[in-house]
Amino acid sequence: MVTAIETDKLIKRYGAVTAVDGLTLRVEQGEIYAFLGLNGAGKTTTIRMLLGMVKPTAGQVRVLGASLPTGDRQLWNAVGYLVETPHAYPELTVRENLEVMRRLRPGVEPAAVSRVIDRLGLAAYADRRTGTLSLGNQQRLGLAKALLHTPPLLILDEPANGLDPAGIVEIRHLLLDLARQEGVTVFMSSHILGEVARLADRIGIIHQGQLLQELDVAELERNRRRRLIVRAHDGRVALAVLLNAGFAASLTADGAIELTDNAAIERPDEVATQLVLAGHPPTRLAVEQEDLEPYFLRLVGLDRAGPDV
């Protein structure tokens, strides 16, 4: 089976700045791969190299089995893409913009325009000039252009940009349907960890041009820290009870007791028993999992940053 996207030690430098630094990744056909990173991490530069828009300083890129750069136009007929801000002719309507794109795609039937307008929820705006569209609907139009020729590979840079919460959910379901029902491969960049965790099969986390971690959603859940939070009427006395019982415990800033050892997290009933026997029963006892955003910031080394960063 042909791998959809493959890079080997990919590097891109702009003068003294290294935007992408030794990136090696592999995206299998039919999967949704989320490329996650902060703004400026190297996501868009990587996507531009995948599309042949930017020449790598070093390293190799293969898309649908073809090495880049390539003069094979058939390769680009099999790829749909959206990079950064979607572009359109502002004086033309949504339908006219899509018709222009259709004519640039040999073999795409005229009916494809109406079909993709309906699929992207653009029917109410089909005859409006694109210069009057909201950012969210411009983004929908950009996605419609990417899907117009029903490509087996989609490369999308921040596809949820500008969309309201309902629009984000719609695009999520659309991409899931494309992957699960039609076998389309989706490579998408994002800085929204919560959204990609709902969508992606695998996640690659890039920071300062380097791939820090590559994992599936199950691994992501396992890697997020867990803790047991306990509250009692007298937190300091309850803390002393638990420390004497051998638990690794500490007081949080708001007076709760935090336990991070696996024994406490897996058996919170034993923690409760110790406190009850000591005459200090817990008023609250709950296992909490690290939110996705703190996990990401911890991974990229920003969890200790101050509030103004």
Side-chain angles (χ1 to χ4, degrees):
M1 184 176 68
V2 175
T3 301
I5 294 173
E6 190 172 4
T7 71
D8 181 33
K9 299 177 182 176
L10 197 60
I11 296 173
K12 181 60 184 176
R13 296 190 183 96
Y14 295 99
V17 176
T18 302
V20 176
D21 188 4
L23 180 69
T24 297
L25 56 82
R26 183 184 179 97
V27 180
E28 301 296 340
Q29 287 189 337
E31 76 173 340
I32 299 177
Y33 187 104
F35 199 42
L36 187 72
L38 300 172
N39 291 331
K43 305 187 301 296
T44 298
T45 300
T46 298
I47 284 178
R48 288 183 175 277
M49 286 190 284
L50 295 180
L51 293 169
M53 296 176 175
V54 170
K55 183 179 180 181
T57 303
Q60 301 293 322
V61 180
R62 292 180 66 84
V63 175
L64 296 175
S67 296
L68 298 187
T70 177
D72 184 4
R73 294 180 62 87
Q74 288 300 114
L75 171 64
W76 304 119
N77 289 336
V79 179
Y81 62 90
L82 174 64
V83 183
E84 293 188 307
T85 304
H87 296 285
Y89 296 105
E91 296 302 317
L92 299 184
T93 67
V94 167
R95 190 181 304 277
E96 289 167 342
N97 267 277
L98 288 169
E99 179 61 23
V100 169
M101 180 60 68
R102 184 192 72 80
R103 295 185 183 190
L104 293 173
R105 296 283 190 183
V108 178
E109 59 182 356
V113 171
S114 294
R115 190 161 54 241
V116 80
I117 283 174
D118 290 338
R119 192 164 200 178
L120 269 298
L122 286 167
Y125 309 95
D127 298 315
R128 287 193 190 182
R129 289 184 299 174
T130 57
T132 68
L133 295 179
S134 67
L135 177 59
N137 282 323
Q138 289 179 28
Q139 190 77 359
R140 288 174 186 271
L141 176 56
L143 288 167
K145 289 180 178 180
L147 291 171
L148 185 63
H149 57 303
T150 59
L153 171 61
L154 284 173
I155 299 178
L156 307 174
D157 190 13
E158 301 281 359
N161 185 41
L163 297 175
D164 60 21
I168 291 174
V169 172
E170 288 176 22
I171 298 305
R172 181 200 311 159
H173 290 316
L174 170 63
L175 295 179
L176 285 170
D177 286 345
L178 287 169
R180 304 294 180 262
Q181 298 178 18
E182 302 178 28
V184 174
T185 305
V186 179
F187 181 90
M188 54 173 283
S189 75
S190 181
H191 65 280
I192 308 173
L193 180 54
E195 181 57 26
V196 301
R198 297 182 182 94
L199 181 62
D201 299 304
R202 285 194 300 140
I203 298 171
I205 299 176
I206 185 173
H207 186 58
Q208 296 179 347
Q210 296 183 337
L211 191 67
L212 294 187
Q213 192 174 73
E214 195 173 47
L215 68 172
D216 60 31
V217 174
E219 290 173 311
L220 174 65
E221 291 301 306
R222 288 194 297 270
N223 287 353
R224 289 163 60 192
R225 288 175 176 169
R226 294 193 300 162
R227 62 178 186 168
L228 178 64
I229 295 295
V230 179
R231 291 189 180 275
H233 290 298
D234 192 328
R236 294 190 178 279
V237 174
L239 174 65
V241 170
L242 295 177
L243 291 173
N244 288 335
F247 292 105
S250 60
L251 279 181
T252 65
D254 63 352
I257 302 169
E258 179 184 68
L259 298 95
T260 56
D261 55 290
N262 288 332
I265 293 169
E266 298 298 331
R267 296 297 303 274
D269 53 313
E270 293 185 3
V271 173
T273 298
Q274 291 289 337
L275 292 172
V276 169
L277 292 176
H280 298 280
T283 58
R284 181 176 183 267
L285 189 113
V287 175
E288 296 181 351
Q289 190 169 32
E290 182 179 36
D291 287 339
L292 291 168
E293 285 75 13
Y295 167 80
F296 175 74
L297 293 175
R298 173 166 61 86
L299 188 65
V300 301
L302 296 178
D303 56 323
R304 293 178 299 278
D308 295 327
V309 173

